[in-house]
Amino acid sequence: PRRICLGPTSPTFSVEKAVVMMLPCKNMQHMNGKTVPLVVGGGGTFIDAPAELLNLRRVDPVSVAEQAATPLFRNADGSAITEAQVRSTIQALMADEGAVGADFGAHSLRIGGATALYRAGASHVDIMTMGRWSSDCYRLYVRSCLGHSVDWSRRAASTPVDYTAAVDEYKQVDCY
């Protein structure tokens, strides 16, 4: 993404939230100059993107005149960070955590984001919106969480079930 919304007078950039306009690569919409907002809230326990963007602006300032042409995340030479660099960084970080680095890649960020939203109780509309999915393919990204599985199995084990076949009005259904 370019630094379109990171100007000093931007009303959509604060400690509470950041709105970064980005060029979507899906469906070649970026070729028309279309931009879409990427909205993130601040104050997260593990990640606080607006605070990090404020810090980025402090340690890597870009003049207002150059913001629209400057990659938001860039190398020291000014070139945009590539997907390969993101993948390599994620693999190294996961290896440092004791995981098999090769099992992770750039899409791990989308998987992790969708899974965290799901676990937090976000609706499918919220997951689709935040992941910029226009179909239900977001379901391919959501992973089962151990804590969620434990919670649901505990609920299932504590829920009384009425056996409807014992009531004359209901007949056993062999096939649906």
Side-chain angles (χ1 to χ4, degrees), residues 53-114:
L53 289 169
L54 283 169
N55 186 53
L56 177 64
R57 187 180 355 181
R58 184 182 62 76
V59 300
D60 185 20
V62 175
S63 72
V64 174
E66 296 175 332
Q67 285 181 6
T70 303
L72 180 58
F73 303 109
R74 61 194 174 111
N75 294 301
D77 66 2
S79 63
I81 292 175
T82 66
E83 184 267 340
Q85 288 174 298
V86 171
R87 181 178 52 248
S88 175
T89 300
I90 291 168
Q91 289 175 342
L93 288 169
M94 295 311 296
D96 287 349
E97 289 298 315
V100 178
D103 289 348
F104 298 87
H107 259 73
S108 297
L109 298 175
R110 289 180 67 77
I111 292 166

Side-chain angles (χ1 to χ4, degrees), residues 33-171:
K34 177 183 177 181
T35 59
V36 295
L38 178 63
V39 181
V40 292
T45 302
F46 302 112
I47 300 171
D48 190 342
E52 293 302 330
L53 289 169
L54 283 169
N55 186 53
L56 177 64
R57 187 180 355 181
R58 184 182 62 76
V59 300
D60 185 20
V62 175
S63 72
V64 174
E66 296 175 332
Q67 285 181 6
T70 303
L72 180 58
F73 303 109
R74 61 194 174 111
N75 294 301
D77 66 2
S79 63
I81 292 175
T82 66
E83 184 267 340
Q85 288 174 298
V86 171
R87 181 178 52 248
S88 175
T89 300
I90 291 168
Q91 289 175 342
L93 288 169
M94 295 311 296
D96 287 349
E97 289 298 315
V100 178
D103 289 348
F104 298 87
H107 259 73
S108 297
L109 298 175
R110 289 180 67 77
I111 292 166
T115 301
L117 285 167
Y118 170 74
R119 180 64 173 115
S123 73
H124 72 280
V125 172
D126 291 323
I127 296 171
M128 289 173 64
T129 300
M130 294 185 74
R132 298 175 330 277
W133 286 293
S134 58
S135 71
D136 66 353
C137 72
Y138 77 92
R139 296 185 320 181
L140 299 171
Y141 290 83
V142 175
R143 302 295 190 259
S144 178
C145 298
L146 177 62
H148 214 196
S149 297
V150 168
D151 291 345
W152 279 109
S153 62
R154 183 179 298 114
R155 286 182 189 180
S158 302
T159 302
V161 178
D162 297 329
Y163 185 54
T164 58
V167 180
D168 287 339
E169 296 94 55
Y170 296 99
K171 300 296 179 197

